[in-house]
Amino acid sequence: MQLLFSIWQLAKHMEIARRVQRKRKQHKLTQQQLSRKSGVSLGSVKRFERTGEISLTSLVKIAFVLDCEKDFDELFAGKEYRSIQEVIDEQLQTS
């Protein structure tokens, strides 16, 4: 089970790294330019695009440069429930 989670986690990290790389290229930025504009070291940018590993702080800095900061606003912005009954009631209403 742990191995499956690790594989899934790595795949997600790499998927995010590919999306960031695509955005960087859409903005016509080199890794060095992204590094300079974001304040994230060039080594960290390169490592992120290669391995998917990056700190949350660095990822947020990069997101601002690539005009993706709203994605972080929506990350955990779902409705907060006070009980399981509220979840069930909402599911019944939408069925």
Side-chain angles (χ1 to χ4, degrees):
M1 188 67 170
Q2 182 65 27
L3 178 62
L4 283 177
F5 178 74
S6 296
I7 292 169
W8 175 85
Q9 189 177 26
L10 177 61
K12 283 296 171 186
H13 288 194
M14 289 307 301
E15 181 182 331
I16 292 168
R18 280 192 296 275
R19 289 179 194 168
V20 169
Q21 183 180 47
R22 202 168 32 247
K23 278 284 198 185
R24 174 179 63 77
K25 289 179 177 181
Q26 287 172 355
H27 280 77
K28 297 182 174 28
L29 293 172
T30 65
Q31 289 178 330
Q32 189 169 19
Q33 289 168 324
L34 178 60
S35 168
R36 197 169 35 252
K37 287 183 173 215
S38 66
V40 175
S41 73
L42 179 57
S44 291
V45 171
K46 286 181 175 185
R47 184 179 64 247
F48 175 53
E49 289 189 5
R50 191 178 64 253
T51 68
E53 293 180 20
I54 194 165
S55 73
L56 179 60
T57 300
S58 294
L59 185 57
V60 170
K61 288 177 179 180
I62 289 171
F64 270 89
V65 171
L66 299 177
D67 300 319
C68 297
E69 67 276 3
K70 288 183 184 176
D71 294 338
F72 284 97
D73 287 340
E74 297 171 8
L75 190 57
F76 296 108
K79 181 179 176 183
E80 292 185 28
Y81 297 99
R82 290 176 292 207
S83 70
I84 190 68
Q85 190 60 50
E86 286 184 10
V87 176
I88 295 167
D89 291 345
E90 184 175 293
Q91 289 297 313
L92 291 173
Q93 291 173 359
T94 58
S95 302

